[in-house]
Coordinates of all heavy atoms in Angstrom, one line a residue:
M1 N 52.6 -38.7 -111.3 CA 52.2 -38.0 -112.4 C 53.4 -37.2 -112.9 O 54.0 -36.5 -112.2 CB 51.1 -37.0 -111.9 CG 50.7 -36.0 -112.9 SD 49.3 -35.0 -112.5 CE 49.5 -34.5 -110.9
E2 N 53.6 -37.3 -114.2 CA 54.7 -36.6 -114.9 C 54.1 -35.4 -115.6 O 53.2 -35.5 -116.4 CB 55.4 -37.5 -115.8 CG 56.6 -36.9 -116.4 CD 57.4 -37.9 -117.3 OE1 57.4 -39.1 -116.9 OE2 57.9 -37.5 -118.3
L3 N 54.7 -34.2 -115.4 CA 54.2 -33.0 -116.0 C 55.1 -32.7 -117.2 O 56.3 -32.9 -117.2 CB 54.3 -31.8 -115.0 CG 53.6 -31.9 -113.7 CD1 53.7 -30.7 -112.9 CD2 52.1 -32.2 -114.0
D4 N 54.4 -32.3 -118.3 CA 55.2 -32.0 -119.5 C 54.6 -30.7 -120.2 O 53.7 -30.7 -121.0 CB 55.1 -33.2 -120.5 CG 55.9 -33.0 -121.8 OD1 56.7 -31.9 -121.8 OD2 55.9 -33.8 -122.6
G5 N 55.2 -29.6 -119.8 CA 54.8 -28.3 -120.3 C 55.3 -28.1 -121.7 O 54.9 -27.1 -122.4
S6 N 56.2 -28.9 -122.2 CA 56.8 -28.7 -123.5 C 55.9 -29.3 -124.6 O 56.3 -29.2 -125.8 CB 58.2 -29.3 -123.6 OG 58.1 -30.7 -123.5
R7 N 54.8 -29.9 -124.3 CA 53.9 -30.5 -125.3 C 53.5 -29.4 -126.3 O 53.1 -28.3 -126.0 CB 52.7 -31.1 -124.7 CG 53.1 -32.4 -123.9 CD 51.9 -33.1 -123.5 NE 51.3 -33.8 -124.6 CZ 50.1 -34.5 -124.6 NH1 49.4 -34.5 -123.5 NH2 49.7 -35.1 -125.6
R8 N 53.8 -29.7 -127.6 CA 53.6 -28.7 -128.6 C 52.2 -28.6 -129.2 O 51.6 -29.6 -129.3 CB 54.6 -28.9 -129.8 CG 56.1 -28.8 -129.3 CD 57.1 -28.8 -130.3 NE 57.1 -27.7 -131.2 CZ 57.5 -26.5 -131.0 NH1 58.0 -26.2 -129.7 NH2 57.5 -25.5 -131.8
I9 N 51.8 -27.4 -129.6 CA 50.5 -27.2 -130.3 C 50.9 -26.5 -131.6 O 51.9 -25.9 -131.7 CB 49.5 -26.4 -129.5 CG1 50.0 -25.0 -129.2 CG2 49.1 -27.1 -128.2 CD1 48.9 -24.1 -128.6
E10 N 50.0 -26.6 -132.6 CA 50.2 -25.8 -133.8 C 50.2 -24.3 -133.3 O 49.3 -23.9 -132.5 CB 49.1 -26.0 -134.8 CG 49.1 -27.4 -135.4 CD 50.3 -27.6 -136.3 OE1 50.8 -26.7 -137.0 OE2 50.8 -28.8 -136.3
P11 N 51.1 -23.5 -133.8 CA 51.2 -22.1 -133.3 C 50.0 -21.3 -133.5 O 49.3 -21.4 -134.4 CB 52.4 -21.6 -134.2 CG 53.1 -22.7 -134.7 CD 52.1 -23.8 -134.8
I12 N 49.8 -20.4 -132.5 CA 48.8 -19.4 -132.5 C 49.4 -18.0 -132.2 O 50.2 -17.9 -131.2 CB 47.7 -19.6 -131.4 CG1 47.1 -21.0 -131.6 CG2 46.6 -18.6 -131.5 CD1 46.2 -21.4 -130.4
I13 N 49.2 -17.0 -133.0 CA 49.7 -15.7 -132.7 C 48.5 -14.9 -132.1 O 47.4 -14.8 -132.7 CB 50.1 -15.0 -134.0 CG1 51.3 -15.8 -134.7 CG2 50.6 -13.6 -133.7 CD1 51.6 -15.3 -136.1
L14 N 48.7 -14.4 -130.9 CA 47.7 -13.7 -130.2 C 48.1 -12.2 -130.3 O 49.2 -11.8 -130.0 CB 47.6 -14.1 -128.8 CG 47.3 -15.6 -128.5 CD1 47.4 -16.0 -127.1 CD2 45.8 -15.8 -129.0
V15 N 47.1 -11.4 -130.7 CA 47.3 -9.9 -130.8 C 46.4 -9.2 -129.8 O 45.1 -9.3 -129.9 CB 47.1 -9.4 -132.2 CG1 47.4 -7.9 -132.3 CG2 47.9 -10.2 -133.2
F16 N 47.0 -8.6 -128.8 CA 46.2 -7.9 -127.8 C 45.8 -6.5 -128.2 O 46.7 -5.7 -128.3 CB 47.0 -7.9 -126.5 CG 47.2 -9.3 -126.0 CD1 48.3 -10.1 -126.4 CD2 46.4 -9.9 -125.1 CE1 48.5 -11.4 -126.0 CE2 46.6 -11.2 -124.6 CZ 47.7 -11.9 -125.1
A17 N 44.5 -6.2 -128.3 CA 44.1 -4.9 -128.9 C 44.5 -3.8 -127.9 O 44.9 -2.7 -128.4 CB 42.6 -4.9 -129.0
E18 N 44.4 -3.9 -126.6 CA 44.6 -2.8 -125.7 C 46.1 -2.4 -125.7 O 46.3 -1.2 -125.6 CB 44.2 -3.3 -124.3 CG 42.7 -3.3 -124.1 CD 42.3 -3.7 -122.7 OE1 43.2 -3.6 -121.8 OE2 41.2 -4.0 -122.5
T19 N 47.0 -3.3 -125.8 CA 48.4 -3.0 -125.7 C 49.1 -3.0 -127.1 O 50.2 -2.5 -127.2 CB 49.1 -4.0 -124.8 OG1 49.1 -5.3 -125.4 CG2 48.5 -4.0 -123.4
G20 N 48.5 -3.7 -128.0 CA 49.1 -3.9 -129.4 C 50.2 -5.0 -129.3 O 50.9 -5.2 -130.3
G21 N 50.3 -5.6 -128.1 CA 51.3 -6.6 -128.0 C 51.0 -7.9 -128.7 O 49.8 -8.2 -129.0
R22 N 52.0 -8.7 -129.0 CA 51.8 -10.0 -129.7 C 52.5 -11.1 -128.9 O 53.6 -10.9 -128.4 CB 52.3 -9.9 -131.1 CG 51.6 -9.0 -132.0 CD 52.1 -9.0 -133.4 NE 51.3 -8.2 -134.2 CZ 51.7 -6.9 -134.5 NH1 52.8 -6.4 -134.1 NH2 50.9 -6.2 -135.3
K23 N 51.9 -12.3 -128.9 CA 52.5 -13.4 -128.3 C 52.3 -14.6 -129.2 O 51.2 -14.7 -129.8 CB 51.9 -13.8 -126.9 CG 52.0 -12.7 -125.8 CD 53.4 -12.8 -125.2 CE 53.5 -11.8 -124.1 NZ 54.6 -11.9 -123.3
I24 N 53.3 -15.4 -129.3 CA 53.1 -16.7 -130.1 C 53.1 -17.8 -129.1 O 54.0 -17.9 -128.3 CB 54.3 -16.8 -131.1 CG1 54.3 -15.7 -132.1 CG2 54.1 -18.2 -131.9 CD1 55.5 -15.7 -133.1
V25 N 52.1 -18.6 -129.2 CA 52.0 -19.8 -128.3 C 52.2 -21.0 -129.2 O 51.6 -21.3 -130.1 CB 50.5 -19.8 -127.7 CG1 50.4 -21.1 -126.9 CG2 50.3 -18.6 -126.9
R26 N 53.3 -21.8 -128.7 CA 53.7 -23.0 -129.4 C 53.7 -24.3 -128.5 O 53.7 -25.4 -128.9 CB 55.1 -22.9 -130.0 CG 55.2 -21.9 -131.1 CD 56.6 -21.9 -131.6 NE 56.8 -20.9 -132.6 CZ 57.3 -19.7 -132.5 NH1 57.8 -19.4 -131.3 NH2 57.4 -18.8 -133.5
T27 N 53.6 -24.0 -127.2 CA 53.7 -25.1 -126.2 C 52.6 -24.9 -125.1 O 52.1 -23.8 -124.9 CB 55.0 -25.2 -125.5 OG1 55.3 -24.1 -124.7 CG2 56.2 -25.4 -126.5
A28 N 52.3 -26.0 -124.4 CA 51.4 -25.9 -123.2 C 52.0 -24.9 -122.2 O 51.2 -24.2 -121.6 CB 51.2 -27.3 -122.6
R29 N 53.2 -24.9 -122.0 CA 53.8 -24.0 -121.0 C 53.6 -22.5 -121.4 O 53.3 -21.7 -120.6 CB 55.3 -24.2 -120.8 CG 56.0 -23.2 -119.9 CD 57.3 -23.6 -119.5 NE 57.2 -24.9 -118.9 CZ 58.1 -25.7 -118.5 NH1 59.4 -25.4 -118.7 NH2 57.9 -26.9 -117.9
Q30 N 53.9 -22.2 -122.7 CA 53.7 -20.9 -123.2 C 52.2 -20.5 -123.0 O 51.9 -19.3 -122.7 CB 54.1 -20.7 -124.6 CG 55.6 -20.8 -124.8 CD 56.0 -20.8 -126.3 OE1 55.2 -21.2 -127.1 NE2 57.2 -20.5 -126.5
A31 N 51.3 -21.4 -123.3 CA 49.9 -21.2 -123.2 C 49.5 -20.8 -121.7 O 48.8 -19.8 -121.5 CB 49.0 -22.4 -123.6
A32 N 50.1 -21.5 -120.8 CA 49.8 -21.3 -119.4 C 50.3 -19.9 -119.0 O 49.7 -19.2 -118.3 CB 50.5 -22.4 -118.5
E33 N 51.5 -19.5 -119.5 CA 52.1 -18.2 -119.1 C 51.3 -17.1 -119.7 O 51.0 -16.1 -119.0 CB 53.5 -18.1 -119.7 CG 54.5 -19.0 -118.9 CD 55.9 -19.1 -119.5 OE1 56.1 -18.5 -120.6 OE2 56.8 -19.8 -119.0
V34 N 50.8 -17.2 -120.9 CA 50.0 -16.2 -121.5 C 48.7 -16.1 -120.8 O 48.2 -15.0 -120.5 CB 49.7 -16.5 -123.0 CG1 48.7 -15.6 -123.6 CG2 51.0 -16.3 -123.8
L35 N 48.0 -17.2 -120.5 CA 46.7 -17.2 -119.8 C 46.9 -16.5 -118.4 O 46.0 -15.8 -118.0 CB 46.2 -18.6 -119.7 CG 45.6 -19.2 -121.0 CD1 45.4 -20.7 -120.9 CD2 44.3 -18.5 -121.4
M36 N 47.9 -16.8 -117.7 CA 48.1 -16.4 -116.3 C 48.6 -14.9 -116.2 O 48.3 -14.2 -115.3 CB 49.0 -17.3 -115.5 CG 48.4 -18.7 -115.3 SD 46.9 -18.7 -114.3 CE 45.6 -18.8 -115.5
Q37 N 49.5 -14.5 -117.2 CA 50.2 -13.2 -117.1 C 49.6 -12.2 -118.0 O 49.7 -11.0 -117.6 CB 51.6 -13.4 -117.4 CG 52.3 -14.3 -116.4 CD 53.8 -14.6 -116.8 OE1 54.3 -14.1 -117.8 NE2 54.4 -15.5 -116.0
D38 N 49.1 -12.5 -119.2 CA 48.8 -11.5 -120.2 C 47.3 -11.4 -120.5 O 46.9 -10.4 -121.2 CB 49.5 -11.8 -121.5 CG 51.0 -11.9 -121.3 OD1 51.6 -10.9 -120.7 OD2 51.7 -12.9 -121.7
W39 N 46.5 -12.3 -120.1 CA 45.1 -12.3 -120.5 C 44.3 -11.2 -119.9 O 44.5 -10.9 -118.6 CB 44.4 -13.7 -120.0 CG 43.5 -14.2 -121.1 CD1 42.1 -14.2 -121.0 CD2 43.8 -14.8 -122.3 NE1 41.6 -14.8 -122.1 CE2 42.7 -15.1 -123.0 CE3 45.1 -15.0 -123.0 CZ2 42.6 -15.7 -124.2 CZ3 45.0 -15.6 -124.2 CH2 43.8 -16.0 -124.8
P40 N 43.6 -10.4 -120.7 CA 42.9 -9.2 -120.1 C 41.7 -9.5 -119.2 O 41.3 -8.6 -118.5 CB 42.5 -8.5 -121.4 CG 42.3 -9.6 -122.4 CD 43.4 -10.6 -122.1
I41 N 41.1 -10.7 -119.3 CA 40.0 -11.0 -118.4 C 40.3 -12.3 -117.7 O 41.0 -13.2 -118.3 CB 38.6 -11.0 -119.1 CG1 38.6 -12.1 -120.2 CG2 38.3 -9.7 -119.7 CD1 37.3 -12.4 -120.7
D42 N 39.8 -12.5 -116.5 CA 40.1 -13.7 -115.8 C 38.8 -14.3 -115.2 O 38.9 -15.1 -114.3 CB 41.2 -13.6 -114.8 CG 40.8 -12.6 -113.7 OD1 39.6 -12.1 -113.7 OD2 41.5 -12.4 -112.7
D43 N 37.7 -14.0 -115.9 CA 36.4 -14.5 -115.3 C 35.5 -15.1 -116.4 O 34.4 -15.4 -116.1 CB 35.7 -13.4 -114.5 CG 35.3 -12.2 -115.3 OD1 35.8 -12.1 -116.5 OD2 34.6 -11.4 -114.8
G44 N 36.0 -15.2 -117.6 CA 35.2 -15.8 -118.6 C 35.1 -17.3 -118.6 O 36.0 -18.0 -118.2
E45 N 34.0 -17.8 -119.1 CA 33.8 -19.3 -119.1 C 34.9 -19.9 -120.0 O 35.5 -21.0 -119.7 CB 32.4 -19.6 -119.6 CG 32.1 -21.1 -119.6 CD 30.7 -21.4 -120.0 OE1 29.8 -20.6 -119.8 OE2 30.5 -22.5 -120.6
E46 N 35.1 -19.4 -121.2 CA 36.1 -19.9 -122.1 C 37.5 -19.8 -121.5 O 38.4 -20.7 -121.7 CB 36.0 -19.3 -123.5 CG 34.7 -19.5 -124.2 CD 34.4 -21.0 -124.5 OE1 35.4 -21.8 -124.5 OE2 33.3 -21.3 -124.8
F47 N 37.8 -18.7 -120.8 CA 39.1 -18.6 -120.1 C 39.3 -19.7 -119.1 O 40.4 -20.4 -119.2 CB 39.2 -17.2 -119.4 CG 40.3 -17.1 -118.4 CD1 41.6 -16.8 -118.9 CD2 40.2 -17.3 -117.1 CE1 42.7 -16.7 -118.1 CE2 41.3 -17.2 -116.2 CZ 42.5 -16.9 -116.7
F48 N 38.3 -20.0 -118.3 CA 38.5 -21.1 -117.3 C 38.7 -22.4 -118.0 O 39.4 -23.3 -117.6 CB 37.3 -21.2 -116.4 CG 37.3 -20.1 -115.4 CD1 36.2 -19.1 -115.3 CD2 38.3 -19.9 -114.5 CE1 36.2 -18.1 -114.4 CE2 38.3 -18.9 -113.5 CZ 37.3 -18.0 -113.5
T49 N 37.9 -22.6 -119.1 CA 38.1 -23.9 -119.9 C 39.5 -24.0 -120.5 O 40.1 -25.1 -120.4 CB 37.0 -23.9 -121.0 OG1 35.7 -23.9 -120.5 CG2 37.2 -25.2 -121.9
A50 N 40.0 -22.9 -121.0 CA 41.4 -22.9 -121.5 C 42.4 -23.2 -120.4 O 43.3 -24.0 -120.7 CB 41.7 -21.6 -122.2
V51 N 42.3 -22.6 -119.3 CA 43.2 -22.9 -118.1 C 43.1 -24.4 -117.8 O 44.2 -25.0 -117.6 CB 42.9 -22.0 -116.9 CG1 43.7 -22.4 -115.7 CG2 43.2 -20.5 -117.3
K52 N 41.9 -24.9 -117.6 CA 41.7 -26.3 -117.3 C 42.3 -27.2 -118.3 O 43.0 -28.2 -118.0 CB 40.2 -26.6 -117.1 CG 39.9 -28.1 -116.9 CD 40.2 -28.7 -115.6 CE 39.6 -30.0 -115.3 NZ 40.3 -31.1 -115.9
T53 N 42.1 -26.9 -119.6 CA 42.6 -27.7 -120.7 C 44.1 -27.7 -120.7 O 44.8 -28.7 -121.0 CB 42.0 -27.3 -122.0 OG1 40.5 -27.3 -121.9 CG2 42.4 -28.2 -123.2
C54 N 44.7 -26.5 -120.4 CA 46.1 -26.4 -120.4 C 46.7 -27.3 -119.3 O 47.7 -28.0 -119.6 CB 46.5 -24.9 -120.1 SG 48.2 -24.5 -120.2
L55 N 46.1 -27.3 -118.2 CA 46.5 -28.2 -117.1 C 46.4 -29.7 -117.5 O 47.3 -30.5 -117.3 CB 45.8 -28.0 -115.8 CG 46.1 -28.9 -114.6 CD1 47.6 -28.7 -114.3 CD2 45.2 -28.6 -113.5
D56 N 45.3 -30.0 -118.2 CA 45.1 -31.4 -118.7 C 46.1 -31.8 -119.7 O 46.6 -32.9 -119.7 CB 43.7 -31.5 -119.3 CG 42.6 -31.5 -118.3 OD1 42.8 -31.6 -117.1 OD2 41.4 -31.3 -118.7
V57 N 46.5 -30.9 -120.6 CA 47.6 -31.2 -121.5 C 48.9 -31.4 -120.9 O 49.6 -32.4 -121.1 CB 47.7 -30.1 -122.6 CG1 48.9 -30.3 -123.5 CG2 46.4 -30.1 -123.5
I58 N 49.2 -30.5 -119.9 CA 50.5 -30.7 -119.2 C 50.6 -32.0 -118.4 O 51.7 -32.6 -118.3 CB 50.7 -29.4 -118.3 CG1 51.0 -28.2 -119.2 CG2 51.9 -29.6 -117.3 CD1 51.0 -26.9 -118.4
T59 N 49.5 -32.4 -117.9 CA 49.5 -33.7 -117.1 C 49.3 -34.9 -118.0 O 49.3 -36.0 -117.4 CB 48.4 -33.6 -116.0 OG1 47.1 -33.4 -116.6 CG2 48.7 -32.5 -115.0
G60 N 49.1 -34.7 -119.3 CA 48.9 -35.8 -120.2 C 47.5 -36.3 -120.2 O 47.2 -37.4 -120.8
D61 N 46.5 -35.6 -119.7 CA 45.1 -36.0 -119.7 C 44.3 -35.5 -120.9 O 43.1 -35.8 -121.0 CB 44.4 -35.6 -118.4 CG 45.0 -36.3 -117.2 OD1 45.4 -37.5 -117.3 OD2 45.0 -35.7 -116.1
A62 N 45.0 -34.7 -121.8 CA 44.3 -34.2 -123.0 C 45.3 -34.0 -124.0 O 46.5 -33.8 -123.8 CB 43.6 -32.9 -122.7
E63 N 44.9 -34.0 -125.3 CA 45.8 -33.9 -126.4 C 45.9 -32.3 -126.7 O 45.0 -31.5 -126.5 CB 45.2 -34.5 -127.6 CG 45.2 -36.0 -127.5 CD 46.6 -36.6 -127.3 OE1 47.5 -36.2 -128.0 OE2 46.7 -37.4 -126.4
P64 N 47.1 -32.0 -127.2 CA 47.4 -30.6 -127.5 C 46.4 -29.9 -128.4 O 46.1 -28.6 -128.2 CB 48.8 -30.6 -128.1 CG 49.4 -31.8 -127.5 CD 48.3 -32.8 -127.4
D65 N 45.8 -30.6 -129.3 CA 44.8 -29.9 -130.2 C 43.6 -29.3 -129.4 O 43.1 -28.3 -129.8 CB 44.3 -30.8 -131.3 CG 43.5 -30.1 -132.3 OD1 44.1 -29.1 -132.9 OD2 42.4 -30.5 -132.6
R66 N 43.2 -30.0 -128.3 CA 42.1 -29.5 -127.5 C 42.5 -28.2 -126.9 O 41.7 -27.3 -126.8 CB 41.8 -30.5 -126.4 CG 40.9 -31.6 -126.9 CD 40.3 -32.5 -125.8 NE 39.7 -31.7 -124.7 CZ 39.7 -32.1 -123.4 NH1 40.2 -33.3 -123.1 NH2 39.1 -31.4 -122.5
L67 N 43.8 -28.0 -126.5 CA 44.2 -26.8 -125.9 C 44.2 -25.7 -127.0 O 43.8 -24.6 -126.7 CB 45.6 -27.0 -125.3 CG 46.3 -25.7 -124.8 CD1 45.5 -25.0 -123.8 CD2 47.7 -26.0 -124.3
R68 N 44.7 -26.0 -128.1 CA 44.7 -25.0 -129.2 C 43.3 -24.5 -129.4 O 43.1 -23.2 -129.5 CB 45.2 -25.6 -130.5 CG 45.4 -24.7 -131.6 CD 46.1 -25.4 -132.8 NE 46.6 -24.5 -133.8 CZ 45.9 -24.1 -134.8 NH1 44.7 -24.6 -135.0 NH2 46.4 -23.2 -135.7
Q69 N 42.3 -25.3 -129.5 CA 40.9 -24.9 -129.8 C 40.4 -24.1 -128.6 O 39.7 -23.1 -128.8 CB 40.0 -26.1 -130.0 CG 40.4 -26.9 -131.3 CD 40.4 -25.9 -132.5 OE1 39.5 -25.1 -132.7 NE2 41.4 -26.1 -133.3
A70 N 40.8 -24.5 -127.4 CA 40.3 -23.8 -126.2 C 40.9 -22.4 -126.1 O 40.2 -21.4 -125.8 CB 40.7 -24.6 -124.9
I71 N 42.1 -22.2 -126.5 CA 42.7 -20.9 -126.5 C 42.1 -20.0 -127.6 O 41.8 -18.8 -127.3 CB 44.3 -21.0 -126.8 CG1 44.9 -21.6 -125.6 CG2 44.9 -19.6 -127.1 CD1 46.4 -21.9 -125.7
I72 N 41.8 -20.6 -128.7 CA 41.1 -19.8 -129.8 C 39.7 -19.3 -129.3 O 39.4 -18.1 -129.5 CB 41.0 -20.6 -131.1 CG1 42.4 -20.8 -131.7 CG2 40.1 -20.0 -132.1 CD1 42.5 -21.8 -132.8
R73 N 39.0 -20.2 -128.6 CA 37.7 -19.7 -128.1 C 37.8 -18.7 -127.0 O 37.1 -17.7 -127.0 CB 36.9 -21.0 -127.6 CG 36.4 -21.9 -128.7 CD 35.4 -22.9 -128.2 NE 35.9 -23.7 -127.1 CZ 36.7 -24.8 -127.2 NH1 36.9 -25.3 -128.4 NH2 37.1 -25.4 -126.1
A74 N 38.8 -18.9 -126.1 CA 39.0 -17.9 -125.1 C 39.5 -16.6 -125.6 O 39.1 -15.5 -125.1 CB 40.0 -18.5 -124.1
A75 N 40.2 -16.6 -126.7 CA 40.7 -15.3 -127.3 C 39.5 -14.6 -127.9 O 39.4 -13.4 -127.7 CB 41.7 -15.6 -128.4
A76 N 38.6 -15.3 -128.5 CA 37.4 -14.7 -129.1 C 36.6 -14.0 -128.0 O 36.1 -12.9 -128.1 CB 36.6 -15.7 -129.9
E77 N 36.4 -14.8 -126.9 CA 35.7 -14.3 -125.7 C 36.3 -13.0 -125.2 O 35.6 -12.1 -124.7 CB 35.7 -15.3 -124.6 CG 35.0 -14.9 -123.3 CD 35.2 -16.0 -122.3 OE1 36.3 -16.3 -121.8 OE2 34.1 -16.6 -121.9
A78 N 37.6 -12.9 -125.1 CA 38.3 -11.8 -124.6 C 38.6 -10.6 -125.5 O 39.2 -9.6 -125.1 CB 39.6 -12.3 -123.9
G79 N 38.2 -10.8 -126.8 CA 38.5 -9.7 -127.8 C 40.0 -9.7 -128.2 O 40.5 -8.7 -128.7
I80 N 40.6 -10.9 -128.2 CA 42.0 -11.0 -128.6 C 42.0 -11.6 -130.0 O 41.3 -12.6 -130.2 CB 42.8 -11.9 -127.7 CG1 42.8 -11.3 -126.3 CG2 44.2 -12.2 -128.2 CD1 43.3 -12.2 -125.2
A81 N 42.7 -11.0 -130.9 CA 42.8 -11.6 -132.3 C 43.7 -12.8 -132.2 O 44.8 -12.8 -131.6 CB 43.4 -10.6 -133.3
A82 N 43.2 -14.0 -132.7 CA 44.0 -15.2 -132.7 C 44.3 -15.6 -134.2 O 43.3 -15.9 -134.9 CB 43.3 -16.3 -132.0
I83 N 45.5 -15.5 -134.6 CA 45.9 -15.8 -135.9 C 46.5 -17.2 -135.9 O 47.5 -17.5 -135.2 CB 47.0 -14.8 -136.5 CG1 46.4 -13.4 -136.4 CG2 47.4 -15.2 -137.9 CD1 47.4 -12.3 -136.6
T84 N 45.8 -18.1 -136.5 CA 46.2 -19.5 -136.5 C 47.2 -19.8 -137.6 O 47.0 -19.3 -138.7 CB 45.0 -20.5 -136.5 OG1 44.3 -20.2 -137.7 CG2 44.2 -20.3 -135.3
V85 N 48.2 -20.6 -137.3 CA 49.2 -20.9 -138.2 C 49.3 -22.4 -138.4 O 49.3 -23.1 -137.4 CB 50.6 -20.4 -137.8 CG1 51.7 -20.8 -138.7 CG2 50.6 -18.9 -137.5
I86 N 49.3 -22.9 -139.6 CA 49.4 -24.3 -139.8 C 50.8 -24.6 -140.2 O 51.2 -24.1 -141.2 CB 48.4 -24.8 -140.8 CG1 47.0 -24.3 -140.5 CG2 48.5 -26.3 -141.0 CD1 46.0 -25.3 -140.1
G87 N 51.5 -25.4 -139.4 CA 52.9 -25.6 -139.7 C 53.2 -26.9 -140.2 O 52.6 -27.9 -140.3

């Protein structure tokens, strides 16, 4: 199995209300880092789906667009503003 964390997604700007911090997610690796290090909740259903989808994209079992949609849903669940950018 070949891992590819560099698989690109259309950018998403995440704005964290509690800290005011911002993160731009452009790759599966960046998505994994944000989900594991910066996410304010780690027990939501959409959060778990996003983590699983991230792994699936990195292992080549899912397309990057699925990850983008999963992150947007997880952000809504966690109260994170997700600004989508079409590039």
Side-chain angles (χ1 to χ4, degrees):
M1 170 174 47
E2 186 174 324
L3 303 179
D4 186 3
S6 67
R7 293 190 72 189
R8 297 189 68 75
I9 63 173
E10 290 292 327
I12 305 167
I13 301 168
L14 300 170
V15 182
F16 297 85
E18 289 183 15
T19 65
R22 295 182 177 98
K23 296 281 183 168
I24 300 174
V25 176
R26 294 184 182 100
T27 66
R29 175 169 301 172
Q30 289 172 339
E33 289 172 358
V34 168
L35 287 165
M36 295 294 101
Q37 297 172 3
D38 301 309
W39 221 252
I41 63 170
D42 62 1
D43 62 350
E45 184 176 328
E46 297 296 345
F47 169 79
F48 287 118
T49 298
V51 170
K52 169 77 168 80
T53 305
C54 190
L55 179 61
D56 289 345
V57 169
I58 289 171
T59 60
D61 292 330
E63 292 302 314
D65 190 56
R66 280 189 51 208
L67 174 57
R68 186 173 193 268
Q69 295 306 315
I71 291 172
I72 291 168
R73 287 190 308 272
E77 175 184 68
I80 299 169
I83 302 166
T84 57
V85 179
I86 309 245

